[in-house]
Amino acid sequence: MSTREQTPVQQKVTREIRVIFQPMNRVLTVPTGTPLFAAIGMAGIAIESICGGKGTCGKCRVILTSGTCMAAPETGTSCRLTQKERDEGYYLACQVTLTGDAEFTIPVESRIDSPQILITLPVAPGEIEPAVVRYRVETAPSDGLPFASQSIRFAGYSGPRPRITDEQYHALLAAETSQAATLSTVRSPPTVLAIAPAERVSPLYGVAIDLGTTTVAGCLARLDTGAILATGSTLNRQITYGEELLTRIGYAGSPAGLATLQKAAARSINDVIETLIRTAGIRSTDILDVCIAGNTVMNHLLCGINPRYLELADAPVSRVPIQKTAQEIGLAVHPDAGVYCLPNVSRFVGGDVIGDMITAGMHTSEEVSLLVDLGTNGEIVLGTRHWTASVSCASGPAFEGAGIRAGMRAMKGAIDHVHVDPVTGEICWSTLGSAPARGICGSGIIDLAVVMVQTEALDFAGKLNFRHPRVRTGPEGAEYVLALAPVTGTGRDIMITQQDIDYLMDSKAAACGAIAVLLKRYKCSVAGIRHLYLAGAFGAYADIGNAVRFGILPRFTAATLHSIGNGSLSGAYATLVSTRYRTAAEELARHMVYIDLLVDTAFAEEYAAALYIPGKQELFPPLS
C-alpha cells in the first residue's frame, strides 16, 4: 500500500504570518486566519470598540499600509466607512481576517490614549472597624495535659471559634516567643490568615476597588488606621469585547466567553493592584482584604457567574453580597484574602450604586434626596433613610462619547467643553491636554447641544436647521460641522450628524424620563427634592447648568447640588475599613424598591415628553 493510500485525508497546515502595527512598531506572529481584532489584543494595543466586534460602531478603524487581508462583506448595519476611507486603505479591525504578512497603522482616532479616569480620595468613615484584625495569641498552660490537648486563645477576641489549620495550630503551640494571629471575619466561621512573631508583624493592608464597565479604580489603605497609601486606575480590559453591558452579557453566554471576561476583569484589578503596591512599596501578599463596588453585570462576570438571565425584564437578582477568596477569582493578593462585593439590587442597579449612596449619606438622611449616576449605564435613586426607590436606564453611553460618530472617551485631544464667545459670537472649544481635537467626549457633547440650540442650529425637537451656516448635507444626511480638517488632530472634519443628535435625544429622554417616573410614583415635585447627588464623571466634569438646559436633568429649584466624584470607590473604601458600612450596604440593598422601566407603563409617557428640549414644563419651571 502506498503512503498516499495510508493517509487519504490531508492535514491542512496553518502558515505563520507576521503582522506589524504602527506607530507602536509592534510585531506579532500569528496563524493565518487570525481575526485582526484578536491580533491587536494579543499585541497589547488598546483600540476603541463599542459594539464588541459587530462592525456597527465604526470605531476600530485601521489602515492597511502593506500586505494583504480579507474583509467581511459590508452590510447595511456594518457599513461605517465612506468610499473615500476605503480608497485610502481603511478597514474596521473587527471585520478583517489576516491572510498574509501585513502592516497596519492604528490611526489616532482609534487609539485609547491617556484616558481621563476619575479618582476622588475617599472620606474617612469615622470609627475604624475592619474585617481583618490582628490579635495577640495566648497559650493556655498545659497542666500536665498531652501536647495535643493544649489550647490557644486570641486576647480581646469574642466571636465564633475561628478556623485554623493544623499547621498553624501546632506552630503556635511550639512557638517560644509571643505570637500574633491575623484573623479575617469576612466569612463564617472566621479564618486565621497568618501567624507571625508579635515583634515582627507588619501593618495590615486592604484594597478598595471600583470595578466600572469602562474603567477600574482603586485605593490601598491600612486596615488598622484607615490611612490611604496609594491610588491607581486603568481601563477595564473587557472593553475589547464591547462597551455596552448587553454586549458583554451576550459574549458571556458560552463557558469560554464567560471565562475570558472573568479573567479580563481580574487582570484589570490586578493591573491596579500592581500600581498600588509599587507606589506603597509593599508585597502583594500583604493585602489581606478586598472590597469591590461594581454594577450587577460586573459582579457576575468577575465572580464567574453566568449573567444571561439579566437580559430578562424584572429578573429576580440576589441581594446577598457575593463573597469569594482572592484565590478563587485570581486576584494577586494574599490567596486567602476575602473579596467582598457590595450587594446588588437588580439587573442594572448594583454595588456601585450602593457605594454611591453610602458616600452621599443617603442611609442616614431625613431629607428627600435624588442620586444620579450617568455612566455607561444610568442609575437613579430617590429617597430618605426610611425608604429608597431606584431605576436604571440606558442613557449613559452617549454622555461618555459612545454611539456618536465623532464621539470618544475623555482622553487627550477630546473636545471637553464648547461655548459661544459673548463678544465675537464665535463657537469656541477646549480639548483635554490642549491637544489638537480628535473628537468630542461626553461633557463636550452636552455643551455643544446647548450651543446648537442657542445659535438656532438645532430646534426644540432636536432637528438640525439647514439654514444655519454650520449645517450641511453629508453622506448620512444633515450634519453640523464643529471643526474643519485643517485644525483637527485627525485631518478630518469633526461633525455631529442628525443620527448622532437622534441618539443623544434618545439618551437624554431616557434619563429625564426615568427621573420623572420616580418623582411621579412617589408624588414628589422638583421643588420637593432637597439634595441632588451627582456621581461619577458626569457629575465631576459636565456643566450641570447645560445638562438642565438640554433637558437631561430636571430643574430642582430647592435642591443643594453635591458632586460626590467616584462615590463607588468611596463606598467600597468605607466597607473596607468598617464592617458597620457593610451592614449598612446590605440594609440598603435589602430594602430598596426597584422599578424596571421595561415593564413600567408610565415610562413610555415620560420618555415621549422628554423628547423635546428641555422637556415637560413641570420639570423645568422658569427661573425666578
Side-chain angles (χ1 to χ4, degrees), residues 13-36:
V13 178
T14 302
R15 184 167 62 92
E16 294 287 316
I17 58 176
R18 190 173 76 150
V19 190
I20 303 173
F21 297 108
Q22 301 291 4
M24 303 86 178
N25 196 29
R26 203 77 52 86
V27 182
L28 190 69
T29 301
V30 296
T32 55
T34 298
L36 175 58

Side-chain angles (χ1 to χ4, degrees), residues 276-290:
L276 299 177
I277 63 174
R278 188 172 61 249
T279 302
I282 67 170
R283 299 170 302 175
S284 61
T285 51
D286 291 335
I287 297 170
L288 300 173
D289 200 11
V290 180

Side-chain angles (χ1 to χ4, degrees), residues 135 191 217 228 397 552:
Y135 295 94
T191 303
I228 296 172
I552 301 170

Side-chain angles (χ1 to χ4, degrees), residues 302-547:
L302 173 66
C303 297
I305 302 170
N306 193 321
R308 288 303 295 266
Y309 77 98
L310 298 177
E311 293 179 315
L312 303 175
D314 250 351
V317 174
S318 172
R319 301 190 182 194
V320 177
I322 303 171
Q323 299 188 67
K324 300 281 186 178
T325 65
Q327 189 172 38
E328 287 178 306
I329 58 179
L331 296 190
V333 298
H334 191 290
D336 293 325
V339 178
Y340 178 89
C341 298
L342 274 71
N344 302 312
V345 173
S346 65
R347 298 191 307 147
F348 298 121
V349 174
D352 52 348
V353 177
I354 297 297
D356 287 337
M357 294 174 68
I358 287 175
T359 302
M362 290 182 69
H363 61 297
T364 61
S365 176
E366 296 285 345
E367 297 185 297
V368 178
S369 303
L370 187 76
L371 169 71
V372 179
D373 189 344
L374 295 183
T376 306
N377 196 56
E379 297 94 16
I380 300 132
V381 181
L382 174 71
T384 72
R385 65 183 296 266
H386 303 290
W387 60 272
T388 53
S390 61
V391 295
S392 63
C393 58
S395 63
F399 306 132
E400 292 188 333
I404 307 296
R405 186 176 181 86
M408 61 183 290
R409 70 183 77 250
M411 57 188 180
K412 188 176 180 180
I415 295 173
D416 62 335
H417 287 293
V418 183
H419 69 277
V420 179
D421 188 295
V423 177
T424 65
E426 292 294 316
I427 308 298
C428 305
W429 66 83
S430 61
T431 63
L432 293 174
S434 300
R438 295 168 49 187
I440 184 165
C441 66
S443 58
I445 290 168
I446 295 170
D447 287 354
L448 179 58
V450 172
V451 164
M452 287 194 289
V453 172
Q454 290 174 340
T455 58
E456 299 183 347
L458 191 68
D459 68 17
F460 75 98
K463 301 303 177 185
L464 288 170
N465 175 13
F466 276 108
R467 292 189 297 275
H468 192 279
R470 286 181 176 264
V471 177
R472 68 187 186 191
T473 301
E476 298 179 2
E479 59 186 29
Y480 178 96
V481 182
L482 177 59
L484 293 171
V487 299
T488 69
T490 63
R492 293 202 296 271
D493 296 345
I494 294 175
M495 62 264 186
I496 300 294
T497 68
Q498 183 62 62
Q499 290 180 351
D500 295 334
I501 295 295
D502 293 343
Y503 180 56
L504 188 60
M505 291 291 290
D506 175 74
S507 297
K508 88 95 176 170
C512 189
I515 294 170
V517 166
L518 277 178
L519 296 178
K520 176 182 285 187
R521 178 69 67 91
Y522 288 89
K523 296 180 172 57
C524 290
S525 68
V526 291
I529 304 299
R530 291 291 177 262
H531 297 277
L532 175 62
Y533 296 100
L534 299 179
F538 174 82
Y541 302 123
D543 183 317
I544 304 306
N546 280 342

Side-chain angles (χ1 to χ4, degrees), residues 1-19:
M1 185 179 288
S2 68
T3 303
R4 181 177 296 276
E5 290 172 332
Q6 292 174 354
T7 57
V9 178
Q10 297 296 309
Q11 295 296 318
K12 184 178 179 180
V13 178
T14 302
R15 184 167 62 92
E16 294 287 316
I17 58 176
R18 190 173 76 150
V19 190

Side-chain angles (χ1 to χ4, degrees), residues 241-262:
Y241 309 100
E243 294 203 26
E244 295 179 344
L245 291 177
L246 290 176
T247 303
R248 293 191 203 169
I249 290 174
Y251 192 92
S254 67
L258 177 58
T260 296
L261 292 181
Q262 193 284 323

